[in-house]
Amino acid sequence: MNHFDYRNGVLHAEGVEIPDIAKQVGTPFYCYSTATLTRHFHVFRQAFAGLDALVCYAMKANSNQAVLKTLARQGAGATWCRKANCAAVWPPASRPARSCFRASARPRARWISRLPPASSASTSNPSRSWNCSRRAPWPSARLPLFRCASIRMSTPRPTRRSRPARRRTSSASRGSARQVYARAAELPGIKVTGIDTHIGSQITELQPFDDAFALLVDLVGTLRADGHAIEHIDLGGGLGIPYRVDNSPPPLPDAYAEIVRKHVTKLGLKVMFEPGRLIVGNAGILVSEVIYVKEGDAKNFLVVDAAMNDLIRPTLYDAFHDIKPVVQPPAATPRMKVDIVGPVCETGDFLGLDRDLPRLKTGDLIAVATAGAYGAVQAGTYNTRLLVPEVLVDGDRFHVVRPRQTYEELIGLDSIPDWLK
Ligand code: LLP
């Protein structure tokens, strides 16, 4: 469900005509819908009504400040890795209760001394916890400064075929988990009170969640029996979204919530979630203009002004994004099979292959759907291409929430050494 619909043959974002935005900001640009963002957040949160649940939006999916602010206003917490990125949106005072800090990839424990007291943190690497403890500026007492510190367990993403292997792995990791928790319990400056997992992204079946949550809940029982006061469980993100309209849709949040309830209700735990794509994926499109149509004997190409650097998912992951014309051509318009490619001269520069589209021409606009998650945040400036603008629509108004980068800004990042001046 999203709020990008045709009205009188013209694609709208809520009440705004996409061509109107294109006229003002130029192409390509990302366009986000406030109504879709908030709807997805509420549908997800509602699914857990009655549980002590906190939805911490995974800002790695889309960290535009306006997107974060929109979600924060609705009551979302955040899963964050860079303080700078969420400081303005989730002020330190509200952070402990509403955020989950992911420290997994931090090379050193420097971040520890910068966290506000009573902050939450989670790490998937136990040695980070040891480092945290050593660097903690409060070595004297074991205060519960990390009120919600937890350790992320690697629950393998199981498939039916790999089940026997999964059992072996899980019992091995249970042993090491007990050791890790026992070691953590002895550390000064840290109080480990939770457990978490994130089994992967764009998961479109419930079984892997069911299997992983069962393992985790089982582990909670073991850890409690060992004397650890486990108070919260963080189940990560990962629920998939429909990228292809012709595929059967992934499970809805309600069905996912049923699995969660089945496992966690009896434990009396606070439950945290870290959805990213599910909230923002369908709330964004990438709009681009056709530069020219190249017809060949073997293949036709639609060369557009967006490229692999603007949306890298198709070439990086073979990801499918639906592509459609912004203005619907008359029904009698002939159709053509095309590869939709960018102007960067290389094989990987495509947004869609072998698509069946009505015949388009230079100057027409296309929309690349479901581009709100891992789109703009993964964009780059390869081939001296400028980062594209991002626009947020709300009803019949819109705002450029990130302007197009300028060449001065891009080139100004470089610095010439004295010997070359
Ligand atoms: N929590 C953790 C610890 C994660 O690593 C991720 C995403 C999430 C939550 C959010 O997962 P989601 O609900 O969005 O599936 N660039 C890839 C996706 C990488 C996802 C990495 N982890 C893509 O474009 O498909």
Side-chain angles (χ1 to χ4, degrees):
M1 162 80 192
N2 61 61
H3 296 77
F4 298 99
D5 298 308
Y6 289 106
R7 292 190 202 166
N8 300 322
V10 179
L11 190 67
H12 282 60
E14 304 186 26
V16 180
E17 286 194 13
I18 295 295
D20 282 351
I21 305 177
K23 252 176 244 151
Q24 187 167 319
V25 304
T27 54
F29 64 92
Y30 278 96
C31 177
Y32 310 128
S33 152
T34 301
T36 313
L37 281 172
T38 53
R39 183 191 143 81
H40 287 175
F41 172 70
H42 285 295
V43 167
F44 191 80
R45 191 169 63 177
Q46 263 314 106
F48 302 99
L51 278 185
D52 181 7
L54 177 64
V55 180
C56 288
Y57 166 66
M59 63 167 70
K60 73 197 283 187
N62 184 324
S63 52
N64 187 286
Q65 293 288 299
V67 168
L68 301 184
K69 196 124 203 169
T70 302
L71 292 170
R73 285 232 173 131
Q74 301 301 315
T79 301
W80 53 286
C81 333
R82 300 271 173 260
K83 189 159 110 186
N85 210 10
C86 69
V89 178
W90 285 273
S94 77
R95 228 175 280 154
R98 291 177 53 191
S99 73
C100 168
F101 174 73
R102 282 285 181 186
S104 335
R106 288 310 170 94
R108 294 209 204 104
R110 255 199 327 255
W111 52 270
I112 202 79
S113 51
R114 300 192 190 141
L115 284 175
S119 194
S120 338
S122 129
T123 177
S124 53
N125 182 339
S127 68
R128 304 259 181 271
S129 314
W130 319 157
N131 279 340
C132 301
S133 170
R134 250 181 269 131
R135 305 272 308 217
W138 42 82
S140 52
R142 261 188 82 236
L143 299 174
L145 287 168
F146 282 151
R147 233 185 24 191
C148 300
S150 59
I151 293 175
R152 177 174 164 197
M153 302 311 303
S154 296
T155 41
R157 192 177 160 178
T159 62
R160 256 181 202 98
R161 260 178 296 138
S162 71
R163 230 169 238 178
R166 173 176 68 80
R167 288 232 173 81
R168 277 200 305 279
T169 322
S170 65
S171 56
S173 60
R174 183 200 312 260
S176 57
R178 292 178 74 186
Q179 280 175 12
V180 166
Y181 274 79
R183 171 93 169 88
E186 292 165 359
L187 293 174
I190 287 182
K191 187 179 175 197
V192 181
T193 57
I195 186 162
D196 56 274
T197 192
H198 168 74
I199 63 167
S201 200
Q202 187 52 18
I203 297 171
T204 52
E205 294 162 36
L206 290 175
Q207 196 59 49
F209 290 114
D210 201 0
D211 292 348
F213 298 167
L215 283 174
L216 212 63
V217 162
D218 195 40
L219 189 53
V220 169
T222 305
L223 293 174
R224 280 179 165 174
D226 286 350
H228 303 286
I230 304 296
E231 293 160 13
H232 81 265
I233 188 165
D234 179 337
L235 300 178
L239 187 56
I241 60 171
Y243 280 96
R244 303 183 78 111
V245 273
D246 52 345
N247 277 5
S248 56
L252 294 172
D254 272 346
Y256 170 80
E258 214 173 291
I259 300 285
V260 172
R261 283 175 199 280
K262 179 175 95 181
H263 292 292
V264 308
T265 309
K266 53 183 180 284
L267 294 176
L269 290 167
K270 181 183 184 76
V271 196
M272 293 162 84
F273 301 95
E274 305 178 4
R277 193 191 309 265
L278 185 91
I279 307 286
V280 79
N282 254 317
I285 60 172
L286 173 66
V287 180
S288 178
E289 186 178 302
V290 176
I291 303 174
Y292 67 98
V293 185
K294 195 167 136 193
E295 288 183 63
D297 290 339
K299 248 187 187 313
N300 302 314
F301 296 93
L302 206 60
V303 185
V304 300
D305 63 2
M308 61 189 283
N309 68 294
D310 305 315
L311 180 64
I312 201 161
R313 301 193 72 259
T315 192
L316 189 59
Y317 312 120
D318 244 341
F320 180 96
H321 288 261
D322 194 25
I323 297 180
K324 47 195 169 194
V326 165
V327 178
Q328 282 177 319
T333 309
R335 302 188 71 86
M336 65 191 302
K337 257 266 163 70
V338 282
D339 285 358
I340 296 101
V341 302
V344 174
C345 189
E346 70 165 89
T347 341
D349 186 20
F350 63 88
L351 299 174
L353 300 176
D354 276 329
R355 301 299 176 86
D356 177 49
L357 283 180
R359 185 175 290 272
L360 297 174
K361 57 183 187 320
T362 301
D364 285 344
L365 297 176
I366 58 156
V368 183
T370 324
Y374 308 108
V377 285
Q378 293 197 118
T381 57
Y382 176 46
N383 220 24
T384 322
R385 287 175 53 87
L386 303 173
L387 292 178
V388 303
E390 295 168 68
V391 172
L392 180 67
V393 170
D394 179 28
D396 54 10
R397 59 187 173 174
F398 70 91
H399 183 81
V400 181
V401 293
R402 176 175 296 197
R404 192 180 304 281
Q405 196 177 28
T406 64
Y407 284 109
E408 291 69 29
E409 284 165 348
L410 177 59
I411 289 158
L413 293 171
D414 299 346
S415 168
I416 305 289
D418 284 346
W419 68 87
L420 291 177
K421 283 183 182 156

